[in-house]
Amino acid sequence: MELLIEKIKKEGSVLSSSVLKVDSFLNHQIDPQLMLEIGKEFAQRFADSGITKILTIESSGIAPAVMAGLQLNVPVVFARKRKSLTLVNNLITASVYSFTKEETSEISVSNQYLTENDKVLIIDDFLANGQAALGLAEIASKAKASIAGIGIVIEKGFQDGGSLLRDKGYTVESLATISSLEDGIVSFEQQTTE
Ligand code: G4P
Ligand code: NA
Ligand code: NA
């Protein structure tokens, strides 16, 4: 997605050879106009998939997920990372291991909002090692919902998540794929769609 790639080139900063900072439009401040375009792009890529629900994880997945939900006219559910005061019963949970934090955390969704009749589009801001997406897929599976695909705003193609998810048979659509962050330079993979 050209608009997103231009934004990353303009405002992204390379923190290390594996971490890209995009706090000015995605992870802290949010650019609503760009998010709307991102939502349209996801909606277009999954237009014929019969999506009934979008599933994401707090916090940075929510903005792109809501915009995709707006375009596809379906509700958006976000998995919680912390226990909620009101969300206590009938939780579907999955364990997610973080390679960066070297810890496992539990994510949860109420079974009220995810059922066997749902066809789910999983959305997240970043794809690194794929553990968050796998956890969301596990939750969808536990709810007996089917998974139409996984939409990612920024995929780090040099990390394992993309091949892990694709090898498992998931359709993964990434709007920008970074091939390298070496030497402080953001390099992109050749775009295959559009
Ligand atoms: P890992 O697999 O590489 O170990 O990373 P992990 O999934 O544990 O991700 C830790 C957090 O870092 C996640 O956000 C993830 O989206 C984010 N992340 C991973 N790689 C990058 C990157 O290159 N740049 C940026 N900006 N973020 C990255 P989170 O902690 O769940 O936070 P949030 O969703 O509340 O923002
Ligand atoms: Na994040
Ligand atoms: Na995220």
Side-chain angles (χ1 to χ4, degrees), residues 37-77:
E37 295 307 319
I38 283 171
K40 288 178 184 169
E41 184 69 29
F42 281 134
Q44 196 185 319
R45 293 191 190 200
F46 290 96
D48 305 320
S49 306
I51 309 290
T52 65
K53 196 147 289 191
I54 292 175
L55 178 61
T56 187
I57 181 165
E58 62 176 343
S59 56
S60 299
I62 296 175
V66 166
M67 291 307 191
L70 180 67
Q71 296 302 313
L72 288 166
N73 197 27
V74 298
V76 178
V77 180

Side-chain angles (χ1 to χ4, degrees), residues 160-182:
D160 293 337
S163 44
L164 181 75
L165 297 174
R166 291 179 180 103
D167 286 350
K168 285 184 181 290
Y170 295 115
T171 300
V172 182
E173 288 284 341
S174 298
L175 305 191
T177 302
I178 290 167
S179 56
S180 165
L181 293 171
E182 294 299 329

Side-chain angles (χ1 to χ4, degrees), residues 33-107:
Q33 205 61 52
L34 177 65
M35 285 310 133
L36 181 60
E37 295 307 319
I38 283 171
K40 288 178 184 169
E41 184 69 29
F42 281 134
Q44 196 185 319
R45 293 191 190 200
F46 290 96
D48 305 320
S49 306
I51 309 290
T52 65
K53 196 147 289 191
I54 292 175
L55 178 61
T56 187
I57 181 165
E58 62 176 343
S59 56
S60 299
I62 296 175
V66 166
M67 291 307 191
L70 180 67
Q71 296 302 313
L72 288 166
N73 197 27
V74 298
V76 178
V77 180
F78 64 93
R80 289 184 178 270
K81 293 174 180 167
R82 291 205 188 83
K83 299 282 175 243
S84 151
L85 186 64
T86 54
L87 182 64
V88 282
N89 292 321
N90 311 314
L91 288 182
I92 307 170
T93 62
S95 293
V96 174
Y97 179 73
S98 167
F99 286 92
T100 38
K101 293 170 192 159
E102 294 182 345
E103 63 185 29
T104 300
S105 61
E106 189 137 280
I107 63 170

